[in-house]
């Protein structure tokens, strides 16, 4: 299987690499350890299950999130009452799910003295919460907190999640109206505008499917997953959306969003249910409480881009992140770039000159799904064990964001 993966990767390699230097004068990533560092103590996730069809199709998001919180407390051994803030990303629920986020925190074992908030930065919500908690720690507002995310696309995905009664004056202004362009259409726009072919997209998708199936077979997801016990007693301990299509099957799939388009069900992310959580604190606080850091959180950036081609977001956010932290493309050991659509993932990887073999080495959202509010935190949970396994130092998490943005973050593995 490894030779098959290598062959696929060769087809995805960019013809010419982009400059590897960020040109930054900052050296955040190369600074020695400091008592004021923001560190990650643990990152954990639920299994990812197919929306409407999978194991969580009748399971409420507050239960999934609450069970992940329970697992986080158990795995780290923290006293729940010391946590000073919990932020939960969500895209589809009313009010970003703030009511159910609070319920999940209480059910998950945190006392009512621990506050909770909800964040909706669309597809980056689960990373935005981590960035927000990290910023609060760095500013001295809190010592310890949790950035998390959850999504039940089974229960909330559909037309009801989109606004319908909109201002005619605002909708008459083109750039504002573009925010309402369906995501599938933006994928086609990226493919058409930047010349990403169907063959390139299918090759990238096949690589994602193949790597995810290989990682699942080898048990590489087990460390990051918190098994969830359902109401009927069933224990869900693995992602249930992973499949292994052939190149021939992918090539036969019809375009999903445009009659003569190139984005299909096989090279786009799955509709998925899931949750994830990341525990962060100040290094000095970790030492005081006897908590062992597994990574250092080094940088975060969010940028805007045209909503009509929102998929290019990582190609804009990543260079800013590298400038912010003083690293170059070649310094990064693993890239967790969310695969909303193969069109945009292929474009971003080629545009930045990233070695595709360092991208999503255990597969990505095309293979096992994109529970929008949870994805950013899920990527951290997936990234950290792989950094340790490969003995790599730096990892980047990035994604495009519906409505026209890109977000990226940098972590440093401390378990080499």
């Amino acid at each position: 299987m490894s030779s098959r993966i290598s062959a696929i990767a060769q087809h995805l390699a960019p013809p010419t690499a982009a400059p590897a230097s960020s040109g930054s004068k900052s050296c955040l990533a190369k600074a020695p350890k400091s008592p004021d560092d923001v560190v990650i103590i643990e990152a954990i996730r639920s299994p990812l299950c197919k929306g409407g069809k999978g194991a969580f199709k009748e399971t409420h998001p507050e239960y999934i999130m609450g069970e992940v919180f329970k697992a986080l407390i158990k795995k780290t051994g923290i006293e729940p009452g010391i946590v000073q803030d919990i932020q939960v990303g969500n895209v589809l629920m009313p009010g970003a799910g703030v009511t159910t986020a609070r319920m999940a925190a209480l059910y998950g074992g945190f006392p009512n003295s621990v506050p909770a908030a909800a964040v909706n930065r669309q597809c980056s919500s689960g990373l935005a919460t981590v960035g927000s908690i990290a910023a609060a720690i760095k500013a001295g507002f809190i010592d310890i907190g949790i950035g998390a995310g959850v999504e039940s696309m089974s229960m909330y995905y559909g037309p009801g999640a989109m606004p319908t009664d909109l201002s005619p004056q605002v909708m008459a202004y083109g750039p504002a109206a573009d925010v309402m362009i369906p995501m599938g259409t933006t994928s086609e726009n990226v493919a058409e505008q930047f010349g990403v072919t169907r063959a390139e997209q299918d090759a990238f998708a096949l690589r994602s499917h193949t790597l995810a199936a290989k990682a699942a077979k080898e048990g590489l997801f087990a460390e990051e997953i918190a098994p969830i016990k359902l109401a009927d007693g069933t224990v869900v301990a693995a992602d249930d959306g992973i499949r292994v299509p052939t190149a021939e099957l992918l090539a036969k799939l019809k375009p999903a969003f445009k009659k003569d388009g190139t984005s299909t069900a096989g090279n786009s992310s799955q509709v998925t249910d899931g949750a994830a959580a990341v525990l962060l604190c100040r290094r000095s606080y970790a030492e005081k409480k006897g908590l062992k850091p597994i990574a250092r959180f080094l940088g975060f950036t969010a940028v805007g881009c045209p909503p009509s081609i929102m998929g290019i977001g990582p190609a804009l956010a990543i260079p800013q992140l590298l400038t912010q932290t003083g690293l170059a493309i070649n310094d990064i050991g693993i890239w967790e770039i969310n695969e909303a659509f193969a069109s945009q993932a292929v474009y971003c990887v080629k545009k930045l000159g990233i070695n595709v073999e360092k991208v999503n080495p255990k597969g990505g959202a095309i293979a096992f799904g994109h529970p929008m509010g949870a994805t950013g935190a899920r990527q951290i949970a997936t990234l950290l064990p792989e950094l340790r396994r490969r003995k790599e130092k730096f990892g980047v998490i990035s994604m495009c964001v519906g409505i026209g943005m890109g977000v990226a973050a940098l972590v440093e593995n401390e378990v080499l």
Side-chain angles (χ1 to χ4, degrees):
M1 182 173 284
S2 60
S3 59
R4 182 186 184 198
I5 294 169
S6 297
I8 294 168
Q10 289 176 5
H11 291 297
L12 294 168
T16 56
S21 172
S22 65
S24 170
K25 296 180 180 179
S26 171
C27 294
L28 288 176
K30 298 176 183 178
K33 291 181 180 180
S34 163
D36 290 330
D37 286 340
V38 177
V39 295
I40 296 173
I41 303 302
E42 189 57 76
I44 195 168
R45 69 174 178 93
S46 74
L48 303 183
C49 298
K50 295 175 69 173
K53 300 178 181 179
F56 292 156
K57 64 182 179 181
E58 296 178 351
T59 304
H60 293 82
E62 59 270 24
Y63 178 78
I64 303 172
M65 187 77 261
E67 290 295 308
V68 170
F69 284 149
K70 286 182 179 181
L72 185 67
I73 293 170
K74 182 178 180 179
K75 191 169 185 179
T76 61
I78 63 164
E79 167 56 46
I82 70 172
V83 174
Q84 295 168 328
D85 196 14
I86 297 174
Q87 296 190 18
V88 180
N90 184 267
V91 176
L92 299 175
M93 287 192 283
V98 67
T99 301
T100 50
R102 175 67 165 160
M103 293 172 69
L106 295 171
Y107 171 79
F110 295 98
N112 58 24
S113 59
V114 178
V119 174
N120 184 351
R121 197 193 279 269
Q122 291 287 301
C123 309
S124 68
S125 299
L127 186 57
T129 61
V130 174
S132 181
I133 291 293
I137 293 169
K138 199 68 177 175
F141 299 151
I142 63 174
D143 297 311
I144 184 169
I146 294 171
V150 65
E151 205 73 69
S152 172
M153 298 185 79
S154 291
M155 293 190 174
Y156 292 96
Y157 184 64
M162 295 294 291
T164 54
D165 186 10
L166 296 165
S167 163
Q169 293 91 338
V170 173
M171 286 297 290
Y173 179 63
D178 282 352
V179 171
M180 297 298 292
I181 294 175
M183 293 299 95
T185 302
T186 71
S187 173
E188 295 291 358
N189 290 345
V190 169
E192 183 176 340
Q193 185 167 330
F194 300 104
V196 184
T197 68
R198 170 71 182 267
E200 288 178 299
Q201 293 175 59
D202 283 352
F204 187 91
L206 182 60
R207 175 181 180 272
S208 182
H209 291 300
T210 304
L211 286 171
K214 180 175 182 289
K217 184 177 181 181
E218 295 176 357
L220 300 186
F221 294 119
E223 183 179 352
E224 68 197 61
I225 292 178
I228 306 292
K229 186 175 182 180
L230 304 183
D232 64 0
T234 302
V235 176
V236 183
D239 305 324
D240 68 14
I242 297 174
R243 57 214 190 275
V244 189
T246 62
E248 292 73 23
L249 177 60
L250 289 173
K252 289 179 181 179
L253 294 175
K254 294 181 179 180
F257 310 108
K258 183 180 178 182
K259 186 177 181 181
D260 57 347
T262 56
S263 294
T264 71
N267 62 32
S268 304
S269 59
Q270 295 184 39
V271 172
T272 306
D273 307 326
V278 182
L279 177 65
L280 305 98
C281 68
R282 185 175 295 103
R283 188 184 298 280
S284 59
Y285 189 81
E287 293 175 355
K288 177 181 176 181
K289 294 294 183 179
L291 301 171
K292 184 180 179 181
I294 59 174
R296 180 163 61 156
F297 191 89
L298 288 170
F300 176 91
T301 188
V303 303
C305 65
S308 61
I309 49 171
M310 65 90 203
I312 71 170
L316 302 177
I318 287 171
Q320 286 201 20
L321 177 73
L322 296 179
T323 298
Q324 178 190 111
T325 55
L327 294 181
I329 292 288
N330 292 339
D331 292 322
I332 307 305
I334 299 177
W335 301 84
E336 270 288 332
I337 299 177
N338 189 46
E339 303 166 355
F341 301 95
S343 61
Q344 54 83 209
V346 169
Y347 167 76
C348 292
V349 170
K350 291 177 68 176
K351 176 68 175 177
L352 295 172
I354 295 172
N355 179 354
V356 73
E357 292 189 3
K358 294 183 177 183
V359 177
N360 303 345
K362 294 188 287 193
I366 289 173
F368 44 69
H370 174 26
M372 297 182 287
T375 288
R378 189 283 301 165
Q379 287 176 287
I380 295 176
T382 299
L383 172 64
L384 294 180
E386 193 65 10
L387 285 172
R388 295 193 292 271
R389 193 173 74 88
R390 294 178 177 232
K391 302 187 186 309
E392 294 285 358
K393 189 173 184 180
F394 296 114
V396 165
I397 307 98
S398 188
M399 68 282 291
C400 61
V401 180
I403 71 178
M405 287 179 278
V407 173
L410 174 72
V411 298
E412 177 186 8
N413 174 28
E414 293 202 348
V415 188
L416 289 168

